[in-house]
């Protein structure tokens, strides 16, 4: 060979300008080449693969990949230090599942959604190795696992290291966005959109970056409020004089601090700002609701998302969780309190035929209440139902279909027993399912309707247990994955928190909201053409 190139598992030989062969360096291939060459065959003809320059088909302008109209930053939670690079693998799984969904449901669109991993933990120094040095040696493996995962929560609640975590994620988000725009200059020009998918603790950090929440600023506001309360309370002349001097001194101190901050950077880092507006903020397995509740967020009187996340910062907030995820919490009851008694929206299975759009799904009650035994004179049948006055039917739980099959088998056996003289068994079957004949008839018809309609509320139309329009949220926020019929809830509690990445149901859910405007425009153009 006139030239040779060594690769990791192969090598390439140039015998001439036109004769280029690829050879495998595996042991079996080497043995085969040795035997065939001793038999008189050439090396190229024995085990080599000839390489050719050129192309099979001429390229066209339509062969280029679709334009990226939406980028999604995927933010990890705790445990990244324990398994570095895990977010890259998880994002690759999410990207692969999204490609399958795109080919199946969104192939008619000329746009493309790109998922980009955001790895912010490995670049942080934090306390160095101080925590490792104070860790006892017994059950070291378990302790190291906790130090590499749960310790991130303690770092974030620490006033010393919180700013470092926030700044690390903010800088990485801005760096990736700037890099993507430099390689795709048409993205901003054509109005490209940005969404964020955060997992676990990453949801809390991302939320604080977008809203600018800072515990130090909160503490200053608390001190100012205490000063105002002291001024309003009664006190002697001497106390008033001393408080006035203290107020003047603090005001002077603030002025000096502001001048000092103008000359050099403050020790307290400034609230990070993103270089882009977030279109959709998807939280997966998120404890954000707990953090907001501990910060004093309480339910309000309007159903607007602005109560916890202003629309000027993020257009849409969506909270995705598995029913058995022990880390995930609901956000809707922090906006309207009575939504704690309303079930989250069920995410459709990816292979559901003609699913009901999420914006058309009516809220349904979660916990049943007993029907009143008597009606007072002040009550009227024409009263508008509400979560506290309407009779609520039992919510259908996951896996209940298997229980219903068992009940149907028992009732079927009981009916057969009637003809065979099994009166005792028949009476036992009736006693376990005793109900008014009319109610049972209506309930059966309601079950049939529910079985044939996807995404309908889990009770019949006769019980109009829906909410007043003034009490509903503008947009639903909590979305719940469906459990499998044979899924163990105890095992799911262990695995559900990390099972979001490869879910086809979640991939379809994400793309449904990100492609919503593109689909609406396509449908409108098709109608105009017709």
């Amino acid at each position: 060979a006139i030239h040779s190139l060594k690769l990791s598992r192969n090598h390439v030989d140039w015998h001439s300008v036109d004769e280029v062969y690829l050879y495998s360096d595996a042991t079996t291939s080497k043995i085969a080449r040795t035997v065939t060459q001793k038999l008189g065959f050439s090396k190229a003809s024995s085990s080599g693969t000839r390489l050719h320059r050129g192309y099979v088909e001429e390229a066209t302008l339509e062969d280029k990949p679709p334009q990226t109209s939406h980028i999604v930053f995927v933010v990890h939670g705790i445990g990244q230090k324990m398994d570095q690079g895990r977010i890259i693998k998880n994002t690759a799984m999410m990207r692969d599942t999204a490609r399958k969904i795109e080919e199946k449901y969104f192939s008619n669109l000329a746009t493309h959604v790109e998922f980009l991993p955001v790895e912010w933990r490995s670049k942080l120094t934090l306390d160095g190795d101080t925590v490792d040095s104070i860790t006892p040696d017994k059950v070291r493996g378990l302790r190291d696992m906790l130090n590499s995962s749960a310790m991130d929560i303690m770092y974030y609640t620490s006033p010393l290291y919180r700013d470092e975590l926030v700044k690390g994620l903010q800088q990485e988000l801005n760096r990736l966005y700037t890099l993507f725009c430099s390689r795709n200059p048409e993205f901003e020009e054509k109005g490209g959109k940005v969404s964020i998918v955060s997992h676990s603790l990453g949801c809390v950090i991302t939320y604080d970056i977008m809203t600018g929440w800072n515990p130090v600023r909160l503490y200053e506001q608390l001190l100012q409020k205490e000063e105002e309360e002291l001024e309003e309370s009664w006190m002697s002349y001497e106390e008033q004089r001393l408080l006035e001097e203290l107020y003047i001194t603090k005001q002077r101190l603030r002025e000096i601090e502001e001048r000092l901050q103008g000359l050099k950077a403050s020790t307290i880092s400034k609230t990070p700002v993103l270089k882009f507006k977030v279109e959709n903020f998807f939280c997966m397995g998120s404890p954000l609701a707990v953090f907001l509740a501990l910060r004093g967020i309480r339910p309000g009187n309007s159903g607007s998302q602005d109560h916890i996340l202003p629309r000027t910062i993020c257009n849409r907030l969506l909270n995705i969780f598995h029913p058995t995820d022990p880390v995930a919490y609901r956000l809707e009851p922090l906006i309207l309190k009575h939504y704690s008694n309303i079930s989250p929206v069920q995410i459709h299975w990816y292979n559901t035929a003609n699913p009901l759009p999420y914006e058309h799904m009516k809220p349904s009650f979660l916990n049943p209440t007993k029907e009143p035994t008597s009606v007072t004179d002040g009550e009227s049948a024409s009263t508008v139902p509400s979560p506290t006055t309407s009779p609520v039917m039992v919510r259908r739980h996951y896996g209940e279909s298997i229980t219903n099959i068992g009940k149907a088998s028992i009732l079927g056996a009981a009916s057969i027993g009637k003809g065979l003289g099994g009166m005792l068994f028949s009476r036992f079957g009736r006693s376990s399912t005793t109900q008014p004949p009319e109610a049972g008839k209506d309930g059966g018809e309601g079950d049939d309707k529910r079985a044939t309609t996807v995404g309908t509320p889990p009770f019949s139309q006769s019980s109009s247990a829906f909410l007043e329009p003034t009490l509903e949220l503008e947009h639903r926020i909590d979305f719940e994955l469906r459990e499998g019929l044979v899924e163990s809830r105890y095992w799911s509690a262990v695995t559900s928190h990390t099972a979001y990445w490869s879910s086809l149901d979640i991939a379809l859910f994400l793309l449904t909201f990100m492609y919503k405007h593109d689909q609406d425009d396509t449908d409108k153009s098709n109608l105009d053409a017709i």
Side-chain angles (χ1 to χ4, degrees):
I2 58 177
H3 181 68
S4 181
L5 175 64
K6 180 66 177 177
L7 303 176
S8 59
R9 299 180 180 179
N10 305 278
H11 70 275
V12 182
D13 289 345
W14 277 260
H15 300 283
S16 65
V17 177
D18 296 331
E19 292 188 34
V20 184
Y21 288 88
L22 174 68
Y23 302 98
S24 174
D25 290 337
T27 304
T28 54
S29 299
K30 290 181 178 179
I31 296 175
R33 280 199 298 271
T34 303
V35 174
T36 53
Q37 288 178 8
K38 289 185 176 181
L39 294 176
F41 296 94
S42 63
K43 179 181 178 182
S45 61
S46 59
S47 62
T49 302
R50 188 168 184 176
L51 305 179
H52 299 274
R53 294 181 180 271
Y55 51 86
V56 179
E57 295 180 1
E58 186 174 358
T60 62
L61 293 176
E62 290 76 15
D63 290 338
K64 62 183 179 181
Q67 178 188 354
T68 300
S69 62
H70 209 127
I71 58 176
V72 182
F73 291 120
V74 185
V75 181
H76 65 80
I78 65 174
Q80 190 66 22
K81 182 182 177 182
M82 179 176 59
D83 189 6
Q84 292 187 5
R86 172 57 59 182
I87 185 60
I88 299 176
K89 301 175 184 176
N90 292 337
T91 306
M93 287 191 292
M94 180 172 285
R95 187 185 297 115
D96 293 339
T97 54
R99 295 294 174 268
K100 297 177 183 177
I101 297 297
E102 280 182 332
E103 294 175 0
K104 185 174 182 180
Y105 296 103
F106 306 99
S107 58
N108 59 328
L109 300 178
T111 55
H112 172 66
V113 176
E114 183 58 50
F115 293 83
L116 302 175
V118 182
E119 206 289 297
W120 53 268
R121 178 63 177 85
S122 61
K123 297 179 181 179
L124 305 180
T125 56
L126 299 176
D127 65 343
D129 57 350
T130 304
V131 173
D132 292 335
S133 65
I134 62 176
T135 303
D137 292 332
K138 299 299 182 181
V139 289
R140 184 74 184 195
L142 177 61
R143 295 179 186 273
D144 289 339
M145 183 184 68
L146 293 176
N147 289 347
S148 301
S149 56
M151 188 63 64
D152 289 343
I153 302 176
M154 303 181 70
Y155 283 136
Y156 192 67
T157 55
S158 168
L160 184 61
Y161 299 112
R162 178 188 177 277
D163 282 350
E164 186 176 352
L165 269 69
V166 173
K167 186 182 295 184
L169 177 55
Q170 175 259 333
Q171 290 179 349
E172 187 66 11
L173 285 169
N174 286 337
R175 185 188 72 84
L176 291 174
Y177 180 75
T178 304
L179 181 62
F180 182 84
C181 291
S182 64
R183 297 179 178 179
N184 301 270
E186 297 181 353
F187 180 75
E188 288 184 310
E189 297 176 0
K190 296 187 177 181
K193 298 178 180 179
V194 182
S195 294
I196 297 179
V197 175
S198 295
H199 181 247
S200 190
L201 182 64
C203 303
V204 183
I205 305 177
T206 306
Y207 174 86
D208 289 346
I209 290 175
M210 291 191 295
T211 58
W213 188 86
N214 194 322
V216 177
R217 186 179 303 142
L218 186 66
Y219 178 70
E220 293 176 352
Q221 294 174 357
L222 181 62
L223 291 179
Q224 185 177 1
K225 184 178 179 181
E226 291 180 352
E227 291 176 0
E228 294 175 355
E229 292 177 354
L230 286 174
E231 291 176 357
E232 295 176 356
S233 61
W234 181 89
M235 60 188 68
S236 64
Y237 173 76
E238 185 66 20
E239 289 176 335
Q240 288 181 356
R241 188 177 63 83
L242 291 175
L243 280 175
E244 288 178 359
E245 293 181 0
L246 179 62
Y247 178 76
I248 294 173
T249 304
K250 286 185 175 181
Q251 191 174 10
R252 176 62 178 166
L253 181 61
R254 289 195 188 100
E255 293 177 358
I256 296 174
E257 287 180 348
E258 290 177 358
R259 292 172 57 186
L260 182 62
Q261 290 177 358
L263 297 176
K264 63 179 182 179
S266 174
T267 54
I268 302 174
S269 62
K270 188 179 179 182
T271 304
V273 178
L274 296 176
K275 294 183 179 180
F276 53 87
K277 182 183 177 181
V278 181
E279 182 69 18
N280 302 294
F281 179 34
F282 300 95
C283 299
M284 298 192 310
S286 168
L288 177 61
V290 174
F291 280 79
L292 295 181
L294 296 180
R295 294 173 184 176
I297 300 295
R298 295 296 179 265
N301 296 322
S302 73
S304 175
Q305 172 190 304
D306 295 344
H307 185 66
I308 57 177
L309 184 62
R311 297 284 294 273
T312 56
I313 299 175
C314 176
N315 186 40
R316 189 75 186 268
L317 171 65
L318 302 106
N319 184 36
I320 307 169
F321 60 93
H322 192 277
T324 59
D325 188 347
V327 183
Y329 291 85
R330 294 190 60 184
L331 284 170
E332 290 176 346
L334 286 180
I335 302 177
L336 293 175
K337 187 174 182 179
H338 65 267
Y339 265 75
S340 61
N341 195 36
I342 295 172
S343 62
V345 181
Q346 302 297 305
I347 295 178
H348 298 307
W349 282 308
Y350 75 97
N351 53 1
T352 301
N354 299 322
L356 186 68
Y358 290 108
E359 58 269 17
H360 296 161
M361 298 176 70
K362 298 293 183 181
S364 59
F365 286 90
L366 178 64
N367 298 320
T369 57
K370 295 182 179 180
E371 295 186 10
T373 55
S374 62
V375 180
T376 60
D377 297 336
E379 293 177 345
S380 173
S382 61
T383 303
V384 178
S386 69
T388 56
T389 61
S390 301
V392 182
M393 297 188 69
V394 180
R395 183 193 181 200
R396 176 168 299 205
H397 295 283
Y398 307 115
E400 189 176 343
S401 58
I402 295 179
T403 308
N404 291 339
I405 293 174
K407 290 181 179 179
S409 301
I410 294 175
L411 294 176
S415 61
I416 296 174
K418 292 180 182 178
L420 300 177
M423 297 299 297
L424 180 61
F425 184 71
S426 174
R427 291 183 60 187
F428 175 74
R430 285 198 302 270
S431 64
S432 63
T433 57
T434 301
Q435 57 181 348
E438 297 178 358
K441 184 178 180 180
D442 295 340
E445 293 176 358
D447 290 340
D448 294 339
K449 293 178 181 178
R450 285 194 296 270
T452 57
T453 306
V454 178
T456 53
F459 43 81
S460 62
Q461 297 177 357
S462 60
S463 71
S464 57
F466 292 126
L467 305 179
E468 302 175 31
T470 56
L471 295 176
E472 289 189 22
L473 291 171
E474 292 180 357
H475 299 287
R476 294 302 301 270
I477 296 177
D478 293 334
F479 294 87
E480 186 180 55
L481 285 168
R482 299 176 185 266
E483 283 184 296
L485 296 179
V486 293
E487 186 175 353
S488 171
R489 292 189 175 180
Y490 296 101
W491 177 247
S492 296
V494 179
T495 61
S496 58
H497 188 60
T498 57
Y500 299 100
W501 309 107
S502 59
S503 172
L504 291 169
D505 300 338
I506 289 183
L508 177 59
F509 179 82
L510 298 178
L511 295 177
T512 299
F513 283 91
M514 286 184 281
Y515 277 132
K516 182 175 177 57
H517 298 290
D518 296 336
Q519 274 191 315
D520 293 341
D521 295 341
T522 303
D523 295 340
K524 184 177 179 181
S525 61
N526 292 336
L527 289 175
D528 294 340
I530 293 174

